[in-house]
Amino acid sequence: MKHRIVVLGAGYAGATAAGRLAKRLHPDDTEITVVNADADFVERVRMHQLAAGQTLKRRTLSDIYAGTGVMVRLARVTAVDADRKIVALTAEHGAEEIAYDTLVYALGSTAADHGVPGVAEHAYDIAGKQSALRLRDRLDDLAAGGTVLVVGGGLTGLEAATEIAEARPDLDVAIAARGGLGDRLTEKAQHHLRAVFDRLAVTVHEHTDIVRVEATGAVTGDARVIPAEVTVWTAGFAVHPIAAATTLAVAANGQIVVDATMRSVSHPDVYAVGDAGLAEGPGGKPLRMSCASGAPMAWQAADAIAARLTGRKIPRAPLRYFNQCISLGRRDGIIQFVTADDRAKPSLIKGRMAARYKEIICRGAAWSIAHPTVLLPIRRRVVAPRTEILAATS
């Protein structure tokens, strides 16, 4: 029988892992299935663009995996039985199950409301395609002079506020940040960031906690009300709760705890990549939820799986950071270079050149989904006898 590899989720991490596995393993004795709710690969790093009204290039999973042997199964994952090695699905014709020998869990994350009242009822987010489209429709309904509040001073919030303000200069856009504006950036980068926000007329509320969201605005920790016809919530991400409901070892936030090869510390047949996995990066710090983490995690997991199945030495992928890429509308941006453990370095790129740099990075991330070995030689190896696999996994 063929060794069944099931990949749950086709975001940057899951899609990359599936494609890379197909380049590493021979199809005669392996079967790779990707389970995803959407027929398309979604460029999550561009959701602020989609929300602001831009049209994104469509990339169907069937086209991406054409000729690779990877099978695409359109369904929503409802549960994972890690002991019986079965995944429960909801597909077009109802409830189904799929069995696996090796599982790659890459269900990613969604917007986190942190228990703040009113977020679920009144706020919009850009954590996925459907939510970004929902926000786009709402922004289209706003007349000139309408008010928009972006909650969250992280990279997602900075990009959302500037993208909306540039696309709709007739709107009154504001941002509420718990800390200072861009306080993880260098002073030079912060200065440029403030200049862009001033140019785009984005009102900045720094050191501001939002404790409640209402239909007409947001309430701050000091009882002020920031009026907003539309509140966009970008204050962090939370993983899907499916893993926490299993017997897999998970962290307090629901991420699957993995070793250096992205393998579950409790279930050796399960690997977790992207936002779903809690992996240790440089300096012993957990890798942050991001595309920058997801791709190398996927490389490591796929190469480790292939090596263990074929009885070869496990290679090591570079799990480190190089820069933080921030688009500030379509014609401006900041590329903040960072240390391996994600601390800002003095060097940066700003302005139009940074915007071009960020666009190259985004296009490259999408290109790498269809080219998961980054044009390195492809060698599909056969699965080793079971005794050799057991030795390699010990």
Side-chain angles (χ1 to χ4, degrees), residues 10-28:
Y12 288 100
T16 298
R20 196 171 177 98
L21 283 165
K23 303 291 187 181
R24 298 279 188 254
L25 296 168
H26 202 284
D28 284 352

Side-chain angles (χ1 to χ4, degrees), residues 1 16 67 84-85 137 143 164 174 202 289:
M1 292 180 61
T16 298
R84 296 172 55 225
K85 300 185 181 181
D137 290 342
I164 294 170
V202 177
M289 295 184 184

